[in-house]
Amino acid sequence: MKTVLFISPTGTFDNGAEISIFNLMCYLVRQNYQVINIAPNSDQAQQGDYIQRCEKNGIKVEIYPALKWWWESAPGGLPGSEVERAFYYRDTIGRIRAAIRSYHVDVVFTNTVNMFQGVVAAACEAVPHYYLIHEFPENEFAYYLDKIDFIDENTDEIFAVTGALCTELSEKFKSHQVKSFTPFTEIQGSELIPGEETRLVSVGRLTKRKNQLELIKAYQKLSHPDVELVFIGAWDDDYKTICDAYIKDNQIKGIRFTGQLEKPWEAITSQDICIFTSQMETFGLVYVEAILNGIPVIFSNNPGHLSAYDLFKVGQVYQLGEITELSQMIQESLSNFKALKVVALEQVECLQKQYTVEKSYEQILETLASQKTYPPKSIRHLVNLLSTNEPKSKLSRLESKIRRKIRQFLKG
């Protein structure tokens, strides 16, 4: 029995990387792998649900304290002092090394390009490491272009989301053939509650990147004043304020925000149309969930959405930023809803056969099953500098000592 260790990005189910790889972990458990999952401590209420769902499915979870779980230059700011962050980085590496030894781990996965601790710990313990990359190197994630050489030199396998991302990264990594995977969501179709009127629905967190203000502006242009627009999901406060102000200033009626729902698809009715306006997605799991539920969809032509569309060929695509085009597409969909619904329902069975865990993670599963050996990494020679299991109480003493020495140096 192989033991695999996953280093997870958030320890919550509010992002596609966690959702998709949770399903991979569950599948591996069913295939008799021992699966360990290490995630950062989070103050978010949903972390309890995350831990419970993992353990219910046979996944051993360890939650580690951390000030900054991602690279220093990654999104999320810089909490604490530089010395404190360095302590926690080294502490995390030390803890991962200990887990590798105690669980007799065969392979370490890092489920995001935004972390380095797993690849360092694996190199120090001479076990293979695989990166799972979900993020395009653009906007807030453009920073990791500067980390390409580190990743290339210290990991053993690189897997990226199929389609545009895999193609782009294949040109950037020189020492690896970038392999692909398709993010998998466990929703395989469900009975929608009957609806009385056709609604427009957006599922997902309200954020600038998800770009829901574009949908509000398109909705404003409609000639169907009685059609309700519903946003299902939590929100970033700053972006919600911008949307609320636009709605108020333009006196737009018929828009409703539900907030976070534990099971958002149970709030969808048989008469709904789903609309996804994201500026950027790696793949678009909500798009996949919608079409698996037989819901007519309209979505923007960002690279991730198009990668998913290339696989499934379902739904209507509009040019991102073209509000008039989106509004006209919505108008036509409302007029032709019955025909669109029939087509959407007819495609579900075929989509379910096409979209399976085995097919989605085929290259990962094949690599895991292989007996390939990997060369040791030179970073192992710095093992004593790269990790620690010192108690946190030592941190405050160390920081005070460093500050005294800096002050003495500056005084000459």
Side-chain angles (χ1 to χ4, degrees), residues 86-95 384-388:
F87 170 85
Y88 276 108
Y89 284 138
R90 294 176 64 225
D91 182 64
T92 297
I93 294 169
R95 288 171 182 261
N384 293 328
L385 298 176
L386 297 173
S387 65
T388 181

Side-chain angles (χ1 to χ4, degrees), residues 86 102 128 130-131 153 181 194 226 297 364 374 407 410:
S102 64
Y130 303 162
Y131 259 113
E153 293 166 11
F181 68 95
D226 298 330
V297 294
I364 295 175
Y374 299 96
R407 285 197 297 269
L410 292 175

Side-chain angles (χ1 to χ4, degrees), residues 228-277:
E228 186 180 25
L229 171 58
V230 183
F231 291 97
I232 299 176
W235 52 71
D236 290 354
D237 290 337
D238 291 346
Y239 192 68
K240 176 67 158 52
T241 298
I242 292 172
C243 292
D244 286 341
Y246 186 88
I247 293 168
K248 181 179 179 180
D249 292 346
N250 290 275
Q251 299 181 341
I252 305 173
K253 307 296 182 182
I255 298 178
R256 179 164 59 91
F257 299 89
T258 70
Q260 181 68 32
L261 297 180
E262 184 178 347
K263 297 180 179 180
W265 295 102
E266 292 185 359
I268 303 292
T269 80
S270 59
Q271 297 298 305
D272 291 341
I273 299 171
C274 278
I275 305 173
F276 307 117
T277 54

